[in-house]
Amino acid sequence: MHSDRFRQLVDATGPFVSIYFDDSHDTEDATAQLDARLRDIRKQLEEHSVDTSVIEAVEGAVRGAQPPVGRSGRAVIAAGDTVVLDEHLIRPPTTTVVRVSELPYLVPIVEHGMLHTTYLRVAVDQTGADISVHRIARVTSENVDGDGYPVHKAKSSEGHEYGKEHAVEEAVRKNIREVADRVTELVDETGAGLVFIEGVNTARTELVSALPERVADKAVQLEGGGRAAGTDEAEVHHEIGQEFLKRRLATIDDAAARFAAGRGTGLSVEGLADVTAALRDGAVDTLIIGDIGDATVVADAGLALIAADPDTLSDLGVAPEHTLRADEALPIKAVATDAALVRTDERISPADGVGAVLRYAENSSA
């Protein structure tokens, strides 16, 4: 997962409130369930002596966003009384997580968040398309109605109309081109990472063919959905979730391969001591987060330098002023140095639950 999506957290001032919970909207009592979860979150925040203004900011962000479709999780991080991150997760956490600490907690987003925070959905047919731009907790929609007409071939009983078949085909192509032009504009404007295309197979295929290569490479054709009324949104949501999951697994595969290849070459490290050293040097290309548990690291007064133990920090001429959770300190330090973040599974089991693929061998002159 690219770290640039978290850059605003690096410059924000804590303490931070990090909340992860199930906000699925797949039952008749979904609203009542959300109310209950928010009451539980409020209670936990009050037990941490969090100010009422912060609690109200969190609740306002949750209630003010468009409800998800089907199974979903939610991530909300506040710095002071300002919500600085608010995202839907592909999968809901098994239990509600509430943390109040000096640093934000990012691991659940790395594990269950969407790799691309902006994507397009395009429901296309012969006459045009319905396009929606999905950003973090916000959706905007528009329609493209092509000028091409007619778009339906004559029935067999209308033999005298067969001469219009070429005109119909050209009208459909014109409409598809108009959709392709608008999709391209939106991808360029928003930086969307994926374009999900719905509709009948012929319209989907024609649209992909009409897109420039740089946009076509981002296209994913969905079997469900479409422009007609009665679209099964839950099915479309499931397909989109599966695509994000597939890409996440591919990212883990890539990280695992690079981590294994880097062993013995100086291009990968593992364990708290070596990973914190690489982060201090700005050498980490990809931080691999496994089961860190309750491990801690130490930091200087300004939280600029971290180390696995006080002696290491003292050897650097800095007094260890803070003890931090490793699963909070390492990811935010990776973000500060533009390193990518990967939440590993059983494919990678680094020492101390943490590893890193490096930009260069630390013993090199690079």
Side-chain angles (χ1 to χ4, degrees):
M1 181 174 287
H2 296 299
S3 61
D4 54 0
R5 68 195 290 176
F6 302 122
R7 286 297 306 178
Q8 74 274 20
L9 296 172
V10 175
D11 299 324
T13 302
F16 291 87
V17 170
S18 304
I19 303 168
Y20 298 90
F21 63 98
D22 184 336
D23 76 336
S24 298
H25 205 80
D26 58 348
T27 61
E28 292 183 359
D29 65 340
T31 300
Q33 288 190 32
L34 178 62
D35 290 340
R37 291 189 184 102
L38 288 176
R39 285 194 299 270
D40 175 61
I41 290 169
R42 172 180 281 270
K43 180 180 178 181
Q44 292 189 55
L45 292 176
E46 289 173 343
E47 290 173 350
H48 283 91
S49 300
V50 173
D51 192 88
T52 301
S53 63
V54 180
I55 298 174
E56 290 177 350
V58 169
E59 289 190 359
V62 173
R63 295 190 184 279
Q66 182 172 339
V69 176
R71 298 285 290 166
S72 176
R74 188 67 167 271
V76 181
I77 297 178
D81 60 1
T82 302
V83 173
V84 289
L85 186 147
D86 182 5
E87 294 188 18
H88 285 298
L89 306 176
I90 299 171
R91 290 181 174 178
T94 54
T95 59
T96 297
V97 176
V98 176
R99 286 196 187 182
V100 181
S101 51
E102 292 180 273
L103 296 173
Y105 178 46
L106 303 178
V107 174
I109 303 179
V110 177
E111 181 173 9
H112 297 304
M114 297 180 182
L115 289 180
H116 303 284
T117 55
T118 302
Y119 64 90
L120 268 59
R121 276 183 60 182
V122 183
V124 63
D125 64 12
Q126 294 177 319
T127 64
D130 301 325
I131 304 174
S132 55
V133 180
H134 295 249
R135 300 177 179 88
I136 298 173
R138 184 164 64 94
V139 180
T140 56
S141 301
E142 64 179 71
N143 306 107
V144 175
D145 294 311
D147 295 330
Y149 182 83
V151 295
H152 298 291
K153 294 180 180 181
K155 297 179 181 179
S156 58
S157 59
E158 300 171 337
H160 60 286
E161 295 291 336
Y162 275 125
K164 292 186 177 180
E165 285 190 7
H166 178 73
V168 168
E169 291 171 356
E170 182 54 38
V172 171
R173 282 194 292 270
K174 183 176 186 298
N175 293 339
I176 293 292
R177 284 196 299 271
E178 289 184 31
V179 173
D181 289 345
R182 184 54 183 154
V183 168
T184 300
E185 290 174 358
L186 287 171
V187 168
D188 291 341
E189 289 171 8
T190 66
L194 288 173
V195 179
F196 293 100
I197 301 177
E198 314 163 32
V200 297
N201 182 60
T202 53
R204 297 197 316 259
T205 303
E206 289 172 4
L207 176 55
V208 173
S209 297
L211 293 169
E213 185 176 359
R214 71 179 191 282
V215 179
D217 288 343
K218 300 180 178 183
V220 178
Q221 296 190 47
L222 303 180
E223 294 299 323
R227 209 179 184 198
T231 295
D232 188 341
E233 284 296 313
E235 180 184 353
V236 174
H237 180 79
H238 175 72
E239 280 195 77
I240 290 174
Q242 289 299 111
E243 181 63 27
F244 278 118
L245 178 59
K246 182 179 76 174
R247 288 170 181 259
R248 174 180 171 267
L249 294 176
T251 299
I252 296 174
D253 280 338
D254 176 68
R258 290 190 295 135
F259 180 72
R263 278 178 165 152
T265 69
L267 287 173
S268 67
V269 294
E270 57 186 312
L272 281 175
D274 288 343
V275 171
T276 52
L279 285 169
R280 289 195 304 272
D281 292 342
V284 176
D285 174 80
T286 302
L287 178 68
I288 299 169
I289 309 163
D291 183 9
I292 303 176
D294 294 327
T296 60
V297 296
V298 293
D300 66 333
L303 305 181
L305 289 178
I306 61 172
D309 57 76
D311 289 342
T312 299
L313 211 55
S314 297
D315 290 343
L316 294 170
V318 178
E321 298 285 346
H322 298 273
T323 299
L324 308 169
R325 288 188 62 110
D327 61 2
E328 295 172 358
L330 271 60
I332 199 65
K333 190 63 175 178
V335 171
T337 55
D338 296 319
L341 303 165
V342 172
R343 178 73 161 110
T344 185
D345 55 16
E346 66 279 356
R347 277 168 284 189
I348 318 176
S349 299
D352 299 331
V354 62
V357 177
L358 305 184
R359 296 183 172 118
Y360 51 84
E362 288 196 290
N363 58 359
S364 74
S365 60

